Coordinates of all heavy atoms in Angstrom, one line a residue:
M1 N -12.0 13.4 -81.0 CA -10.7 13.4 -80.2 C -10.0 12.1 -80.4 O -8.8 12.1 -80.5 CB -11.1 13.6 -78.7 CG -11.4 15.0 -78.3 SD -11.7 15.5 -76.6 CE -12.3 14.0 -75.9
G2 N -10.7 11.1 -80.5 CA -10.1 9.7 -80.8 C -9.3 9.7 -82.2 O -8.2 9.2 -82.2
I3 N -10.0 10.2 -83.1 CA -9.4 10.3 -84.5 C -8.2 11.2 -84.4 O -7.1 10.8 -85.1 CB -10.4 10.8 -85.5 CG1 -11.5 9.6 -85.7 CG2 -9.8 11.0 -86.8 CD1 -12.7 10.0 -86.4
T4 N -8.3 12.3 -83.8 CA -7.1 13.2 -83.7 C -6.0 12.5 -83.1 O -4.8 12.7 -83.5 CB -7.6 14.5 -83.0 OG1 -8.7 15.2 -83.6 CG2 -6.5 15.5 -82.8
E5 N -6.2 11.9 -82.0 CA -5.1 11.1 -81.3 C -4.5 10.1 -82.3 O -3.2 10.0 -82.3 CB -5.6 10.4 -80.0 CG -4.5 9.8 -79.3 CD -5.0 9.2 -78.0 OE1 -6.0 9.6 -77.4 OE2 -4.3 8.1 -77.5
I6 N -5.3 9.3 -83.0 CA -4.7 8.3 -83.9 C -3.9 9.0 -85.0 O -2.8 8.6 -85.2 CB -5.8 7.5 -84.5 CG1 -6.4 6.6 -83.3 CG2 -5.3 6.7 -85.6 CD1 -7.8 5.9 -83.9
L7 N -4.5 10.0 -85.6 CA -3.8 10.5 -86.8 C -2.6 11.6 -86.5 O -1.7 11.7 -87.3 CB -4.8 11.3 -87.6 CG -5.9 10.5 -88.3 CD1 -6.9 11.6 -89.1 CD2 -5.3 9.5 -89.3
Y8 N -2.6 12.2 -85.3 CA -1.7 13.2 -85.0 C -0.7 12.9 -83.9 O 0.4 13.4 -83.8 CB -2.2 14.5 -84.7 CG -2.9 15.2 -85.8 CD1 -4.3 15.0 -86.1 CD2 -2.3 16.0 -86.7 CE1 -4.9 15.6 -87.2 CE2 -2.8 16.6 -87.8 CZ -4.1 16.3 -88.0 OH -4.8 16.9 -89.2
L9 N -1.0 12.0 -83.0 CA -0.3 11.7 -81.8 C 0.4 10.3 -81.7 O 1.2 10.1 -80.8 CB -1.0 12.0 -80.6 CG -1.6 13.4 -80.4 CD1 -2.3 13.6 -79.1 CD2 -0.5 14.5 -80.5
H10 N -0.1 9.4 -82.5 CA 0.2 8.0 -82.4 C 1.5 7.6 -83.3 O 1.4 6.8 -84.2 CB -1.0 7.1 -82.9 CG -1.0 5.7 -82.5 ND1 -0.9 4.7 -83.4 CD2 -1.0 5.2 -81.2 CE1 -0.9 3.6 -82.7 NE2 -1.0 3.8 -81.5
Y11 N 2.6 8.2 -82.9 CA 3.8 7.9 -83.7 C 5.0 7.8 -82.9 O 5.0 8.3 -81.7 CB 4.2 9.2 -84.6 CG 3.1 9.4 -85.7 CD1 2.0 10.2 -85.4 CD2 3.1 8.7 -86.8 CE1 1.1 10.4 -86.5 CE2 2.1 8.9 -87.8 CZ 1.2 9.8 -87.5 OH 0.1 9.9 -88.5
E12 N 6.0 7.0 -83.3 CA 7.2 6.8 -82.6 C 8.3 7.3 -83.4 O 8.4 7.0 -84.7 CB 7.4 5.3 -82.3 CG 6.4 4.6 -81.4 CD 6.7 3.2 -81.1 OE1 7.8 2.8 -81.0 OE2 5.6 2.4 -81.1
L13 N 9.1 8.3 -82.9 CA 10.1 9.0 -83.6 C 11.2 8.1 -84.1 O 12.1 8.4 -85.1 CB 10.6 10.1 -82.7 CG 9.8 11.3 -82.5 CD1 10.4 12.3 -81.7 CD2 9.3 11.9 -83.8
D14 N 11.4 6.9 -83.4 CA 12.5 6.0 -83.8 C 12.2 5.1 -84.9 O 12.9 4.2 -85.4 CB 13.1 5.4 -82.6 CG 12.1 4.5 -82.0 OD1 10.8 4.7 -82.1 OD2 12.5 3.5 -81.3
K15 N 10.9 5.2 -85.4 CA 10.4 4.3 -86.5 C 10.1 5.1 -87.8 O 9.9 6.3 -87.8 CB 9.2 3.5 -86.1 CG 9.5 2.5 -85.1 CD 8.3 1.8 -84.6 CE 8.6 0.7 -83.6 NZ 7.3 0.0 -83.2
P16 N 10.2 4.4 -89.0 CA 9.9 5.2 -90.2 C 8.5 5.8 -90.2 O 7.5 5.2 -89.8 CB 10.0 4.1 -91.3 CG 10.8 3.1 -90.7 CD 10.5 3.1 -89.2
L17 N 8.4 7.0 -90.7 CA 7.2 7.7 -90.7 C 6.0 7.2 -91.6 O 4.9 6.9 -91.2 CB 7.3 9.2 -91.0 CG 6.2 10.1 -91.2 CD1 5.4 10.3 -89.8 CD2 6.5 11.5 -91.7
I18 N 6.3 7.0 -92.9 CA 5.2 6.6 -93.9 C 4.6 5.4 -93.4 O 3.3 5.3 -93.5 CB 5.9 6.4 -95.3 CG1 6.3 7.9 -95.8 CG2 4.9 5.9 -96.2 CD1 7.0 8.0 -97.0
P19 N 5.2 4.3 -93.1 CA 4.4 3.2 -92.6 C 3.4 3.4 -91.4 O 2.3 2.9 -91.3 CB 5.4 2.0 -92.2 CG 6.6 2.4 -93.0 CD 6.6 3.9 -93.1
Q20 N 3.9 4.3 -90.6 CA 3.1 4.7 -89.4 C 1.8 5.5 -89.9 O 0.7 5.3 -89.3 CB 3.9 5.5 -88.3 CG 4.9 4.7 -87.6 CD 5.6 5.5 -86.6 OE1 5.1 5.7 -85.5 NE2 6.8 6.0 -86.8
V21 N 2.1 6.4 -90.9 CA 1.0 7.2 -91.3 C 0.0 6.3 -92.0 O -1.3 6.4 -91.8 CB 1.5 8.2 -92.4 CG1 0.3 8.9 -93.1 CG2 2.3 9.3 -91.7
K22 N 0.4 5.3 -92.7 CA -0.5 4.4 -93.4 C -1.3 3.7 -92.4 O -2.6 3.4 -92.5 CB 0.3 3.4 -94.3 CG 0.7 4.1 -95.6 CD 1.5 3.1 -96.5 CE 2.1 3.8 -97.7 NZ 2.8 2.8 -98.5
E23 N -0.6 3.1 -91.4 CA -1.2 2.3 -90.3 C -2.2 3.1 -89.6 O -3.3 2.6 -89.3 CB -0.2 1.6 -89.5 CG -0.8 0.7 -88.5 CD -1.4 -0.5 -89.1 OE1 -1.1 -1.0 -90.2 OE2 -2.5 -1.0 -88.5
N24 N -1.9 4.3 -89.2 CA -2.8 5.2 -88.4 C -4.0 5.5 -89.3 O -5.1 5.7 -88.7 CB -2.0 6.4 -88.0 CG -1.1 6.1 -86.8 OD1 -1.0 5.0 -86.3 ND2 -0.2 7.1 -86.6
G25 N -3.9 5.8 -90.5 CA -5.0 6.0 -91.5 C -5.9 4.8 -91.4 O -7.2 5.0 -91.4
K26 N -5.5 3.6 -91.6 CA -6.2 2.4 -91.5 C -7.0 2.3 -90.3 O -8.1 2.0 -90.2 CB -5.4 1.1 -91.8 CG -4.8 1.1 -93.3 CD -4.1 -0.2 -93.3 CE -3.4 -0.3 -94.7 NZ -2.4 -1.4 -94.8
L27 N -6.2 2.6 -89.1 CA -6.9 2.4 -87.8 C -8.0 3.4 -87.6 O -9.0 3.1 -87.1 CB -5.9 2.7 -86.7 CG -6.1 2.5 -85.3 CD1 -6.8 1.1 -85.0 CD2 -5.0 2.8 -84.3
A28 N -7.9 4.7 -88.1 CA -8.8 5.7 -88.0 C -10.0 5.2 -88.8 O -11.2 5.4 -88.4 CB -8.3 7.0 -88.4
G29 N -9.8 4.8 -89.9 CA -10.8 4.2 -90.9 C -11.7 3.2 -90.3 O -12.9 3.2 -90.4
K30 N -11.0 2.3 -89.6 CA -11.6 1.1 -89.1 C -12.5 1.6 -87.9 O -13.6 1.2 -87.6 CB -10.7 0.1 -88.5 CG -10.0 -0.7 -89.6 CD -9.0 -1.8 -89.0 CE -8.3 -2.4 -90.0 NZ -7.2 -3.4 -89.6
M31 N -12.0 2.6 -87.1 CA -12.7 3.1 -86.0 C -14.0 3.9 -86.5 O -15.1 3.5 -85.9 CB -11.9 4.0 -85.2 CG -12.5 4.7 -84.1 SD -11.3 5.9 -83.3 CE -12.2 6.9 -82.4
L32 N -13.8 4.6 -87.5 CA -15.0 5.3 -88.1 C -16.0 4.3 -88.6 O -17.3 4.4 -88.5 CB -14.6 6.2 -89.2 CG -14.2 7.5 -88.6 CD1 -13.4 8.3 -89.7 CD2 -15.3 8.4 -88.2
A33 N -15.5 3.2 -89.4 CA -16.5 2.2 -89.8 C -17.3 1.4 -88.7 O -18.5 1.2 -88.8 CB -15.7 1.2 -90.7
M34 N -16.6 1.2 -87.7 CA -17.2 0.6 -86.5 C -18.4 1.5 -85.9 O -19.4 1.0 -85.8 CB -16.1 0.3 -85.4 CG -16.1 -1.1 -84.9 SD -14.8 -1.5 -83.7 CE -14.6 -0.1 -82.8
V35 N -18.0 2.7 -85.8 CA -19.0 3.7 -85.3 C -20.2 3.9 -86.2 O -21.4 3.9 -85.8 CB -18.3 5.1 -85.0 CG1 -19.4 6.2 -84.7 CG2 -17.3 5.0 -83.8
E36 N -19.8 3.9 -87.5 CA -21.0 4.1 -88.5 C -21.8 2.9 -88.5 O -23.0 3.0 -88.5 CB -20.3 4.2 -90.0 CG -21.2 4.6 -91.0 CD -20.5 4.9 -92.3 OE1 -19.2 4.7 -92.3 OE2 -21.2 5.5 -93.2
D37 N -21.3 1.7 -88.2 CA -22.0 0.5 -88.1 C -23.0 0.5 -87.0 O -24.1 0.1 -87.0 CB -21.2 -0.8 -88.2 CG -21.9 -2.1 -88.2 OD1 -22.8 -2.3 -89.0 OD2 -21.7 -2.9 -87.2
M38 N -22.4 0.9 -85.8 CA -23.1 1.0 -84.5 C -24.3 2.0 -84.6 O -25.3 1.7 -84.2 CB -22.3 1.3 -83.4 CG -21.3 0.2 -83.0 SD -20.1 0.6 -81.6 CE -20.7 2.0 -80.9
V39 N -24.0 3.1 -85.3 CA -25.1 4.2 -85.4 C -26.2 3.7 -86.3 O -27.3 3.8 -86.0 CB -24.4 5.5 -86.0 CG1 -25.5 6.5 -86.4 CG2 -23.4 6.2 -84.9

């Protein structure tokens, strides 16, 4: 659910899309890396 929120809902319509997609991808990757480390 957290990854879905980051990748699909974390956008601002008044800002360029591509930088937001890249940033959200990095954020989701960091979140997964953190969880993987904890596990």
Side-chain angles (χ1 to χ4, degrees):
M1 286 189 328
I3 291 169
T4 300
E5 182 176 333
I6 292 169
L7 293 179
Y8 290 93
L9 303 176
H10 195 248
Y11 294 93
E12 295 183 38
L13 292 177
D14 61 337
K15 294 185 178 178
L17 175 64
I18 291 175
Q20 291 184 80
V21 170
K22 289 178 180 179
E23 186 61 33
N24 291 347
K26 288 178 188 176
L27 183 59
K30 286 179 184 177
M31 180 178 162
L32 278 163
M34 234 173 36
V35 169
E36 193 171 7
D37 183 54
M38 286 177 17
V39 167

